[in-house]
C-alpha cells in the first residue's frame, strides 16, 4: 500500500531501497519556505543497518504489513531453534544468531511466541513480556534483612545473572521481564 511521505509514523514498516525498514523516529517539518517533509530514522529488519532519510509530502513510499503468527518453541537443534506454527503444525528452524543471544535463555519448551512474517519469511520474533524462572544460586539470606532498595546478585535456572531482593533464597520461583532481564516479583 503506497502512502504519502508526510504520513510516516514510528513503528511502521516500509519497503524502501530494496529492503524492509522499521521506522524508529519520524519528525514532521513545515519550513516557512518550501514544502513540508518528514525526517525519518529507520532500521533495516534483515541487516540491522540504520537509515536517515527525508521524505517530501508528495513522495510515495510502500507501507508493508507484517503477518503475526503464533508459534510454540519446541527445541534447540545445534545452531538453530525449532518452532511450530500453532495453526498448521508446520515446523520452522531459525538460526540462533537471528533470534539473538540475549533472548535465547528465556525460551522454554512449549513457550508461545509471535513470529512476524513477510511473504512467508520470518522478520521478527516476540517473546512473552514476562517469564517464570527459578533462583538457582544466590548468597544466603541474612536474618533481619528487609525488602529495601538494595538487591543481591543471583543466577536463575536459565543461567542469566539477575538482581533479586535480599530476603529471597535459592529454589524460589520469580517472574522476570524478558526485555530488560530484571526481577519483577515473586511467582505465585
Amino acid at each position: 500500500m503506497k502512502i504519502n511521505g508526510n504520513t510516516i509514523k514510528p513503528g511502521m514498516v516500509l519497503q524502501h531501497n530494496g529492503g524492509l525498514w522499521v521506522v524508529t523516529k519520524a519528525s514532521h517539518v513545515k519550513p516557512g519556505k518550501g514544502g513540508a517533509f518528514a525526517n525519518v530514522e529507520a532500521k533495516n529488519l534483515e541487516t540491522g543497518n540504520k537509515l536517515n532519510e527525508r521524505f517530501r509530502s508528495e513522495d510515495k513510499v510502500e507501507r508493508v504489513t507484517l503477518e503475526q503468527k503464533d508459534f510454540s518453541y519446541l527445541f534447540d537443534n545445534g545452531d538453530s531453534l525449532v518452532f511450530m506454527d500453532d495453526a498448521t503444525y508446520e515446523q520452522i528452524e531459525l538460526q540462533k544468531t537471528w533470534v539473538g543471544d540475549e533472548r535465547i535463555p528465556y525460551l522454554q519448551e512449549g513457550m508461545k511466541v509471535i513470529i512476524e512474517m513477510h511473504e512467508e519469511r520470518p522478520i521478527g520474533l516476540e517473546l512473552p513480556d514476562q517469564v517464570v524462572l527459578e533462583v538457582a544460586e544466590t548468597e544466603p539470606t541474612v536474618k533481619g534483612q528487609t525488602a529495601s532498595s538494595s538487591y543481591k546478585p543471583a543466577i536463575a535456572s536459565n543461567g542469566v545473572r539477575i538482581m533479586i531482593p535480599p530476603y529471597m533464597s535459592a529454589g524460589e520461583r520469580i517472574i522476570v521481564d524478558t526485555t530488560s532481564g530484571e526481577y519483577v516479583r515473586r511467582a505465585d
Side-chain angles (χ1 to χ4, degrees):
M1 169 174 86
K2 293 258 187 209
I3 60 170
N4 287 343
N6 62 348
T7 59
I8 297 172
K9 292 180 178 71
M12 286 183 169
V13 178
L14 308 175
Q15 191 153 19
H16 181 67
N17 289 349
L20 290 176
W21 303 84
V22 64
V23 177
T24 52
K25 286 183 186 170
S27 60
H28 298 279
V29 181
K30 189 168 196 278
K33 189 174 178 185
F37 60 89
N39 277 329
V40 175
E41 245 179 67
K43 183 179 173 191
N44 190 305
L45 287 172
E46 283 108 14
T47 64
N49 294 345
K50 295 203 179 209
L51 164 85
N52 284 320
E53 189 92 25
R54 181 179 280 190
F55 292 99
R56 296 188 320 265
S57 57
E58 60 271 10
D59 288 344
K60 296 281 188 197
V61 66
E62 186 71 31
R63 182 178 179 190
V64 176
T65 50
L66 298 178
E67 184 183 359
Q68 294 191 332
K69 289 184 167 185
D70 292 327
F71 279 80
S72 295
Y73 171 66
L74 295 180
F75 58 90
D76 184 327
N77 193 19
D79 324 350
S80 60
L81 302 167
V82 180
F83 295 86
M84 179 183 70
D85 187 325
D86 290 348
T88 63
Y89 303 110
E90 283 181 47
Q91 293 182 8
I92 62 167
E93 285 191 39
L94 300 175
Q95 294 301 310
K96 284 184 176 179
T97 52
W98 185 86
V99 174
D101 291 338
E102 69 285 347
R103 295 194 287 182
I104 291 172
Y106 296 109
L107 286 170
Q108 298 170 354
E109 210 171 289
M111 177 184 273
K112 303 287 183 209
V113 298
I114 295 171
I115 296 180
E116 293 179 317
M117 310 282 268
H118 178 255
E119 295 173 354
E120 296 302 315
R121 202 171 86 237
I123 296 295
L125 177 113
E126 220 175 280
L127 293 176
D129 295 336
Q130 298 175 341
V131 58
V132 177
L133 298 173
E134 191 173 306
V135 177
E137 59 183 78
T138 186
E139 298 165 2
T141 305
V142 177
K143 192 171 172 89
Q145 230 172 5
T146 59
S148 66
S149 61
S150 67
Y151 281 70
K152 65 181 182 180
I155 297 176
S157 54
N158 63 352
V160 172
R161 293 187 166 281
I162 190 165
M163 298 299 282
I164 61 172
Y167 58 84
M168 298 192 87
S169 57
E172 291 194 58
R173 292 167 42 86
I174 56 173
I175 294 177
V176 177
D177 186 304
T178 56
T179 50
S180 65
E182 293 176 354
Y183 166 85
V184 178
R185 66 179 190 277
R186 184 183 263 159
D188 300 331

